[in-house]
Short mmCIF file of all heavy atoms in Angstrom, two decimals:
data_model
loop_
_atom_site.label_atom_id
_atom_site.label_comp_id
_atom_site.label_asym_id
_atom_site.label_seq_id
_atom_site.Cartn_x
_atom_site.Cartn_y
_atom_site.Cartn_z
N ALA A 132 1.84 10.87 9.80
CA ALA A 132 1.17 9.68 10.47
C ALA A 132 2.05 9.25 11.75
O ALA A 132 1.59 8.33 12.39
CB ALA A 132 1.15 8.51 9.47
N GLY A 133 3.22 9.93 11.98
CA GLY A 133 3.97 9.55 13.08
C GLY A 133 5.12 8.71 12.73
O GLY A 133 5.76 8.15 13.69
N MET A 134 5.44 8.52 11.57
CA MET A 134 6.69 7.77 11.03
C MET A 134 7.91 8.62 11.03
O MET A 134 7.85 9.86 10.61
CB MET A 134 6.44 7.13 9.74
CG MET A 134 5.32 6.06 9.78
SD MET A 134 5.08 5.25 8.24
CE MET A 134 3.30 5.36 8.03
N VAL A 135 9.10 8.13 11.44
CA VAL A 135 10.28 8.76 11.42
C VAL A 135 11.38 7.84 10.86
O VAL A 135 11.06 6.60 10.74
CB VAL A 135 10.69 9.28 12.83
CG1 VAL A 135 9.72 10.40 13.32
CG2 VAL A 135 10.70 8.16 13.84
N SER A 136 12.55 8.36 10.70
CA SER A 136 13.61 7.59 10.12
C SER A 136 14.12 6.44 11.17
O SER A 136 14.02 6.74 12.35
CB SER A 136 14.84 8.46 9.73
OG SER A 136 16.00 7.71 9.39
N ALA A 137 14.68 5.43 10.58
CA ALA A 137 15.17 4.36 11.39
C ALA A 137 16.61 4.55 11.70
O ALA A 137 17.30 3.71 12.22
CB ALA A 137 14.91 2.98 10.85
N SER A 138 17.23 5.65 11.27
CA SER A 138 18.62 6.00 11.51
C SER A 138 18.90 6.08 13.02
O SER A 138 18.07 6.27 13.82
CB SER A 138 19.11 7.27 10.75
OG SER A 138 18.37 8.36 11.46
N LYS A 139 20.21 5.90 13.38
CA LYS A 139 20.64 5.99 14.75
C LYS A 139 20.28 7.37 15.25
O LYS A 139 19.92 7.50 16.49
CB LYS A 139 22.12 5.78 14.92
CG LYS A 139 22.49 4.23 14.57
CD LYS A 139 23.92 4.11 14.72
CE LYS A 139 24.32 2.60 14.54
NZ LYS A 139 25.85 2.38 14.57
N GLU A 140 20.60 8.39 14.45
CA GLU A 140 20.32 9.79 14.91
C GLU A 140 18.79 10.04 15.27
O GLU A 140 18.42 10.65 16.34
CB GLU A 140 20.63 10.70 13.70
CG GLU A 140 20.38 12.21 13.99
CD GLU A 140 20.51 13.00 12.77
OE1 GLU A 140 21.04 12.55 11.71
OE2 GLU A 140 20.25 14.21 12.84
N SER A 141 17.96 9.40 14.51
CA SER A 141 16.50 9.54 14.69
C SER A 141 16.10 8.85 15.93
O SER A 141 15.28 9.36 16.75
CB SER A 141 15.69 8.95 13.49
OG SER A 141 14.33 9.00 13.75
N VAL A 142 16.53 7.56 16.19
CA VAL A 142 16.19 6.85 17.33
C VAL A 142 16.71 7.52 18.63
O VAL A 142 15.98 7.70 19.64
CB VAL A 142 16.80 5.34 17.35
CG1 VAL A 142 16.36 4.56 18.58
CG2 VAL A 142 16.18 4.70 16.07
N SER A 143 17.87 8.03 18.49
CA SER A 143 18.44 8.87 19.68
C SER A 143 17.68 10.13 19.96
O SER A 143 17.50 10.41 21.11
CB SER A 143 20.00 9.26 19.33
OG SER A 143 20.84 8.07 19.23
N HIS A 144 17.16 10.76 18.92
CA HIS A 144 16.41 12.00 19.15
C HIS A 144 15.12 11.59 19.98
O HIS A 144 14.70 12.36 20.88
CB HIS A 144 16.01 12.56 17.81
CG HIS A 144 15.15 13.84 17.97
ND1 HIS A 144 15.72 15.09 18.05
CD2 HIS A 144 13.89 13.97 18.02
CE1 HIS A 144 14.73 15.99 18.20
NE2 HIS A 144 13.59 15.32 18.20
N VAL A 145 14.46 10.55 19.51
CA VAL A 145 13.18 10.21 20.20
C VAL A 145 13.52 9.77 21.68
O VAL A 145 12.74 10.17 22.54
CB VAL A 145 12.54 9.04 19.42
CG1 VAL A 145 11.26 8.46 20.25
CG2 VAL A 145 12.08 9.47 18.07
N LEU A 146 14.52 8.90 21.92
CA LEU A 146 14.73 8.42 23.29
C LEU A 146 15.50 9.38 24.13
O LEU A 146 15.59 9.11 25.28
CB LEU A 146 15.48 7.15 23.03
CG LEU A 146 14.88 5.96 22.24
CD1 LEU A 146 15.79 4.73 22.32
CD2 LEU A 146 13.55 5.63 22.95
N SER A 147 15.83 10.51 23.58
CA SER A 147 16.53 11.54 24.41
C SER A 147 15.66 12.49 25.14
O SER A 147 16.04 13.30 25.79
CB SER A 147 17.59 12.27 23.65
OG SER A 147 18.53 11.49 23.04
N ASN A 148 14.33 12.24 24.99
CA ASN A 148 13.28 13.19 25.61
C ASN A 148 13.43 13.15 27.12
O ASN A 148 13.21 12.15 27.77
CB ASN A 148 11.89 12.80 25.16
CG ASN A 148 10.95 13.82 25.56
OD1 ASN A 148 11.17 15.09 25.39
ND2 ASN A 148 9.75 13.41 26.05
N LYS A 149 13.77 14.20 27.78
CA LYS A 149 14.16 14.19 29.13
C LYS A 149 12.90 13.96 30.03
O LYS A 149 13.04 13.42 31.15
CB LYS A 149 14.81 15.57 29.52
CG LYS A 149 16.18 15.77 28.90
CD LYS A 149 16.68 17.06 29.32
CE LYS A 149 18.16 17.34 28.69
NZ LYS A 149 18.76 18.58 29.19
#
Side-chain angles (χ1 to χ4, degrees):
M134 295 182 227
V135 292
S136 172
S138 67
K139 293 181 180 179
E140 177 188 356
S141 177
V142 177
S143 291
H144 180 88
V145 173
L146 298 180
S147 295
N148 191 43
K149 293 182 179 179

